[in-house]
Amino acid sequence: MTLYPHMLAPLDLGFVTLPNRVLMGSMHTNLEETGDWNRVAEFYAARARGGVALIVTGGMAPNREGGVFPGAAGLFTPQDIANHRLVTDRVHGAGGRIAMQILHAGRYAYGSDCVAPSAIKSPISPFPPRELDNEGIEKQIADIVTAAARAREAGYDGVEIMGSEGYFLNQFLVRHTNRRTDDWGGAYANRMRLPVEVVRRVRAAVGADFILIYRISLIDLVPDGSTWDEVVTLARAIEAAGATMLNTGIGWHEARIPTIATSVPRAAFTWLTARLRPEVGIPVITSNRINMPDVAEQLLADGKADMVSMARPFLADPDFVTKAAAGRAAEIAPCIACNQACLDHTFGGKLTSCLVNPRACHETELVYTPAMSPKRIAVVGAGPAGLSVALVAAERGHEVTLFEASDQIGGQLNLARRVPGKEEFDGLVAWFRTMLAVRKVDLQLNHAAEVSDLGGFDEVILATGVKPRDPGIPTEPGAPVLSYAEVLEGAKVGQKAVLIGAGGIGFDVAEFLVQDGISPTIDASLWRREWGVGDPAVTAGGLAPDGPHPDPAARQVTLLQRKPEKPGRKLGKTTGWIHRASLQMKGVRMQGGADYSRITRTGITVSIAGANPVEIEADTIVICAGQEPRRELAEMLQKAAIPFHLIGGADVAAELDAKRAIDQGARLAAQL
Ligand code: NAP
Ligand code: SF4
């Protein structure tokens, strides 16, 4: 008897039956652009082996002008089709099914050839688009249809037509990007003509027995977006035009409301899929911030959707479905929705991977082979680096002892998980705990390893982490100074706090100090009110008519840094704006160019941008000024001539994060 009867139930699409209700959503990984198609094939095949019912590839351009960036992958030549054939054959060989997403970026295309319904530049691209004439529109349709036909030729089981997130087809639907006065603009029947025509002609080209998913925007989260009536009208027309299923799209890329970041409540937008479901006769797929089988099961059991799309969770763990089916859900490596190794990489032009699973998109290069001769390995420190090296070494068959000075594993992750909006870190620490037991790592808590403990091991790995940096600011005795760790561990903080340092931790501490009571991340209605998410049935586009309404800040917070630039510039590429917006909404003062003179009992004396020093009144000063490596044990081992490896923050503290720590640990363990 399974715990997930709805999630594991087959889905009959008429001409094909999917084995369960889990779809791997489209993600652009930059893998195709490496030209290494064996690597692309292995990435998808690993997910097929893991039991997902249907995979959707990253978006493929139907033509040059529609590519997300110049040179974006697509099915343009016979060689492209042969390359994709490698992928589909490998997925089918692994027992899976795969559909190719066709993505025309329209005015979001990052190139001077971009085209759109009207010549209106998007706020997130420097390139003004060219307005298409009728012939130009017909060419775009023909190119999309050709891409779909070639997908079938390349062995795909279907296509997904990307009609949401503010891309080309979506741009025709709404007046703020479609100002046309011909048959492709004006009344809604004209504005929706392009997506409907695309689906109709694709269906005619690919035949009846080919999966055709249309990704529809259920809430645009931009002013003058679609109304709910328009969404339903479009959904019905798309069904009539021949779509097999409708997938959920949430928010345009230019929207200023987070839609997939870790601070978004789990399953925050499934209410919209649930509302669409009774309006159409074909299966609907829901998506966004669904990362665990219990969440998927519940919403399917509640009748909110016919299928669940999860994308990043399949980077974190390719075996999501088989583990859930085998009653081993606690062993699923959780996607914490951090974006650090996936979307931040993708948008930074780097290969996608995963903070939790460094093998994601590196399947052919980072391989955990069974150890030829198992060794006795000591790891000191159970933070992210130590946990990672211990688990991979144990997976390979080594005998691992993990020493941890405190009474719990997790290291700095235990601080992160106390920050409102970072609740997913709880699941990550729990997963590490489970896996230490599964892999039979000998965990020695409350044991600060000494040189005498480490002599008898074949390999010694130090992951002793970091200690907070003392910025050395002259301080009056008795001044109310706390470290970030003390604050996150619950030390009492007054009503006026000044934070020294505005890196990731300064922002986290500020978030911790302005929130009071329940975190909006675990209360979806509170979160919607905070960010101003309304209802497309009330306001076109679904923005709340009266805007965001955050609760008042729990205290007054000032965030300082010495660099003259805007604080938060170096935060994650795809999430930094969320942290900055969140603190701005709470009235946090963020100031660069600070020169600290002295901390007193009543505040801190600072000169801002070379001006005369002033005192900023504060009843608590929190030091968030970065970290230094903790290497005392390393020095002692050196003296005792015991060789060791140094990883994580103990190796390099600057710009350390869990992504680098876990990756470094895994790569070392793969070689031992
Ligand atoms: P950090 O990012 O290096 O920031 C340290 C802050 O302290 C900076 O604002 C720096 O700015 C200031 N600072 C450095 N030396 C100072 C000194 N001697 N006196 C006064 N101020 C000083 O370090 P962190 O905030 O502690 O974060 C540690 C790591 O964890 C980072 O790599 C970060 O990426 C990661 N992290 C990530 C997230 C996330 O959400 N992804 C969250 C938390 C932490 P000035 O030098 O300009 O003053
Ligand atoms: Fe999820 Fe973070 Fe991994 Fe991306 S990097 S898949 S968000 S855990």
Side-chain angles (χ1 to χ4, degrees), residues 465-531:
V466 292
K467 51 191 172 197
R469 175 184 290 132
D470 175 1
I473 303 168
T475 302
E476 184 184 2
V481 179
L482 294 171
S483 73
Y484 65 83
E486 287 170 315
V487 170
L488 293 172
E489 278 161 1
K492 195 166 162 16
V493 176
Q495 281 307 300
K496 283 186 183 169
V498 170
L499 277 44
I500 310 285
I505 289 183
F507 269 76
D508 275 358
V509 171
E511 195 68 56
F512 180 83
L513 291 177
V514 292
Q515 289 285 357
D516 204 7
I518 195 153
S519 161
T521 300
I522 50 173
D523 180 341
S525 62
L526 180 58
W527 179 84
R528 283 199 296 273
R529 184 159 53 84
E530 282 230 2
W531 283 95

Side-chain angles (χ1 to χ4, degrees), residues 173-525:
L173 292 174
V174 305
R175 291 184 193 276
H176 88 266
T177 44
N178 182 351
R179 305 262 169 83
R180 304 179 71 93
T181 51
D182 62 2
D183 291 350
W184 303 100
Y188 191 65
N190 283 354
R191 281 181 277 136
M192 73 172 198
R193 199 173 138 216
L194 176 66
V196 175
E197 211 39 35
V198 162
V199 170
R200 197 179 60 75
R201 294 197 215 169
V202 166
R203 174 55 79 203
V206 296
D209 57 345
F210 195 63
I211 298 170
L212 197 171
I213 306 168
Y214 183 83
R215 184 125 171 236
I216 184 170
S217 182
L218 297 189
I219 185 167
D220 295 336
L221 298 175
V222 290
D224 296 326
S226 293
T227 65
W228 184 253
D229 280 348
E230 289 170 346
V231 171
V232 172
T233 304
L234 176 65
R236 289 180 179 153
I238 293 286
E239 177 181 4
T244 319
M245 291 193 276
L246 288 168
N247 196 359
T248 295
I250 301 293
W252 286 35
H253 282 318
E254 65 204 65
R256 292 290 88 186
I257 290 173
T259 55
I260 60 164
T262 192
S263 56
V264 176
R266 284 179 170 185
F269 295 98
T270 52
W271 59 282
L272 287 155
T273 322
R275 194 193 271 174
L276 180 68
R277 193 172 179 231
E279 305 284 357
V280 291
I282 51 178
V284 294
I285 307 164
T286 196
S287 77
N288 286 53
R289 284 291 284 118
I290 301 161
N291 66 342
M292 277 293 147
D294 55 334
V295 183
E297 175 63 21
Q298 192 58 52
L299 61 90
L300 289 166
D302 291 346
K304 290 186 170 162
D306 299 281
M307 202 169 184
V308 174
S309 169
M310 290 177 264
R312 297 170 297 170
F314 283 97
L315 294 176
D317 200 329
D319 297 320
F320 185 103
V321 176
T322 44
K323 284 180 182 172
R328 292 164 41 220
E331 293 178 38
I332 296 173
C335 165
I336 55 171
C338 64
N339 286 2
Q340 280 175 252
C342 53
L343 283 173
D344 284 351
H345 279 209
T346 314
F347 284 97
K350 290 197 278 184
L351 202 57
T352 294
S353 190
C354 174
L355 175 143
V356 173
N357 172 25
R359 290 202 69 224
C361 297
H362 297 266
E363 283 80 8
T364 55
E365 165 244 339
L366 178 58
V367 183
Y368 304 153
T369 49
M372 298 293 275
S373 43
K375 295 176 178 176
R376 293 191 64 229
I377 296 177
V379 179
V380 183
L387 289 164
S388 173
V389 74
L391 285 183
V392 176
E395 180 180 346
R396 295 188 54 223
H398 294 302
E399 190 185 316
V400 182
T401 303
L402 175 58
F403 296 99
E404 167 55 43
S406 78
D407 61 355
Q408 57 179 341
I409 65 159
Q412 300 263 313
L413 298 176
N414 289 313
L415 298 179
R417 71 197 179 103
R418 295 196 162 91
V419 177
K422 291 203 159 177
E423 289 79 4
E424 291 290 352
F425 280 80
D426 264 334
L428 181 56
V429 175
W431 176 75
F432 275 125
R433 206 176 296 119
T434 300
M435 295 314 292
L436 289 176
V438 169
R439 304 244 169 100
K440 299 192 170 46
V441 171
D442 176 16
L443 174 63
Q444 306 261 338
L445 292 175
N446 301 305
H447 191 146
E450 294 175 8
V451 174
S452 55
D453 292 311
L454 302 173
F457 288 92
D458 301 319
E459 304 274 0
V460 174
I461 299 158
L462 297 192
T464 40
V466 292
K467 51 191 172 197
R469 175 184 290 132
D470 175 1
I473 303 168
T475 302
E476 184 184 2
V481 179
L482 294 171
S483 73
Y484 65 83
E486 287 170 315
V487 170
L488 293 172
E489 278 161 1
K492 195 166 162 16
V493 176
Q495 281 307 300
K496 283 186 183 169
V498 170
L499 277 44
I500 310 285
I505 289 183
F507 269 76
D508 275 358
V509 171
E511 195 68 56
F512 180 83
L513 291 177
V514 292
Q515 289 285 357
D516 204 7
I518 195 153
S519 161
T521 300
I522 50 173
D523 180 341
S525 62

